[in-house]
Amino acid sequence: GIVVLGLNRSHAKNALNKNVIKMMSKAVDALKSDKKVRTVIFRSEVPGIFCAGADLKERAKMHSSEVSSFVSKARATINEMANLPVPTIAAIDGTALGGGLELALACDIRVAASSAKMGLVETKLAIIPGAGGTQRLPRTIGVSLAKELIFSARVVDGEEAKSIGLISHVVEQNEAGDAAYRRALALAREFLPQGPVAMRVAKLAINQGMEVDLVTGLAIEEACYAQTIPTKDRIEGLLAFKEKRPPRYKGE
């Protein structure tokens, strides 16, 4: 039930070009309707790098109209990732800058090695984060601190990222260079025993509720809760509790 999507463009530090965005979009689209998928982990297959952001060499060759189209496609693809119905985890074992951090911010949970470097550095290039960074970073760490990081183009390590709430877990890097990925796998395995429908609906309730006032949010929760009542998952969960055994969910 755990799907791992790995970036592997080593010669370009996993920089996001047209082809990578196209492949990511295709992969995410395939995951949307796959009921066997329970959790998705985004990681890098390249040691020391998560994603260096947009491919600036490719961008330099683009016409201004092409740049706008590329950024729009990248933003849409990262939004599709954020809207996946199952939990998503970003395993940051190396550098995540610009669009790389924006990709991680679109995940539900972020885990990073203490040695990892993260930042939205676009203002150094006289542009701003264009794939969700100006919206997701403030929602993650607060408005004032997000402004400070974006205005300064500051890069933080895993320890500082944990202290400001940018990531949920920080781990010491191991010899294999995949400590964050290992922690992400452990988290994903914690999610697996839970009711699949409940997991999807819980994510929906949280995501939608965070964008509205509390009264509206509670109404969203009520509507989402109602979706779990008729499912076989719920019946199996109650039966397993009564029989004092682990539930056997099928995600119906």
Side-chain angles (χ1 to χ4, degrees), residues 71-72 74-79 82 98-99 101-106 120 122 128-140 146 150:
V71 173
S72 293
R75 186 185 303 113
T77 299
I78 289 176
N79 281 340
L101 182 55
E102 288 177 305
L103 190 158
L105 282 166
L120 295 179
E122 285 87 348
I128 69 169
T134 64
Q135 302 306 305
R136 291 194 174 93
L137 187 63
R139 285 167 166 79
T140 302
I150 291 173

Side-chain angles (χ1 to χ4, degrees), residues 169-247:
H169 302 275
V170 59
V171 291
E172 289 297 320
Q173 190 55 281
N174 57 27
E175 290 186 10
D178 65 352
Y181 171 59
R182 294 292 168 188
R183 185 69 180 93
L185 271 178
L187 275 174
R189 290 180 179 127
E190 283 189 59
F191 301 160
L192 284 180
Q194 321 314 328
V197 174
M199 294 290 281
R200 291 168 182 258
V201 175
K203 177 170 177 174
L204 180 65
I206 295 169
N207 285 356
Q208 291 188 352
M210 285 300 295
E211 302 302 324
V212 298
D213 61 87
L214 179 59
V215 173
T216 306
L218 290 171
I220 290 171
E221 180 184 79
E222 183 177 9
C224 288
Y225 185 87
Q227 294 181 42
T228 67
I229 291 176
T231 64
K232 292 182 180 179
D233 275 356
R234 180 175 179 272
I235 297 170
E236 166 60 15
L238 294 173
L239 189 62
F241 178 79
K242 181 180 178 181
E243 296 175 356
K244 297 182 180 180
R245 60 169 175 79

Side-chain angles (χ1 to χ4, degrees), residues 90-93 110-116 118 158 161 167-172 180:
I92 308 171
D93 274 304
R110 284 161 297 285
V111 180
S114 56
S115 58
M118 290 156 270
I167 62 175
S168 300
H169 302 275
V170 59
V171 291
E172 289 297 320

Side-chain angles (χ1 to χ4, degrees), residues 5-230:
L5 293 183
L7 290 169
N8 192 356
R9 194 176 177 232
S10 58
H11 67 282
K13 298 183 178 180
N14 287 341
L16 303 173
N17 64 356
K18 290 180 181 178
N19 192 46
V20 170
I21 293 297
K22 181 180 178 180
M23 288 191 292
M24 282 175 55
S25 180
K26 186 177 180 180
V28 170
D29 194 56
L31 293 174
K32 286 179 185 175
S33 57
D34 190 340
K35 297 298 184 184
K36 294 180 181 178
V37 178
R38 304 286 294 279
T39 300
V40 178
I41 297 174
F42 290 89
R43 68 167 301 199
S44 168
E45 304 286 346
V46 181
I49 291 290
F50 179 74
C51 175
D55 188 332
L56 298 180
K57 290 182 180 179
E58 181 186 73
R59 182 175 292 188
K61 299 174 183 177
M62 293 181 186
H63 187 271
S64 58
S65 61
E66 288 183 282
V67 173
S68 296
S69 176
F70 170 76
V71 173
S72 293
K73 180 61 178 176
R75 186 185 303 113
T77 299
I78 289 176
N79 281 340
E80 289 172 9
M81 283 175 42
N83 292 326
L84 279 172
V86 296
T88 54
I89 307 171
I92 308 171
D93 274 304
T95 302
L97 300 177
L101 182 55
E102 288 177 305
L103 190 158
L105 282 166
C107 294
D108 299 314
I109 299 164
R110 284 161 297 285
V111 180
S114 56
S115 58
K117 304 296 183 182
M118 290 156 270
L120 295 179
V121 296
E122 285 87 348
T123 52
K124 283 186 177 181
L125 302 172
I127 57 176
I128 69 169
T134 64
Q135 302 306 305
R136 291 194 174 93
L137 187 63
R139 285 167 166 79
T140 302
I141 66 172
V143 174
S144 182
L145 191 50
K147 286 178 178 177
E148 180 180 327
L149 293 186
I150 291 173
F151 294 167
S152 65
R154 187 183 305 152
V155 175
V156 300
D157 63 16
E159 294 290 351
E160 186 174 356
K162 175 66 169 64
S163 71
I164 63 177
L166 179 56
I167 62 175
S168 300
H169 302 275
V170 59
V171 291
E172 289 297 320
Q173 190 55 281
N174 57 27
E175 290 186 10
D178 65 352
Y181 171 59
R182 294 292 168 188
R183 185 69 180 93
L185 271 178
L187 275 174
R189 290 180 179 127
E190 283 189 59
F191 301 160
L192 284 180
Q194 321 314 328
V197 174
M199 294 290 281
R200 291 168 182 258
V201 175
K203 177 170 177 174
L204 180 65
I206 295 169
N207 285 356
Q208 291 188 352
M210 285 300 295
E211 302 302 324
V212 298
D213 61 87
L214 179 59
V215 173
T216 306
L218 290 171
I220 290 171
E221 180 184 79
E222 183 177 9
C224 288
Y225 185 87
Q227 294 181 42
T228 67
I229 291 176

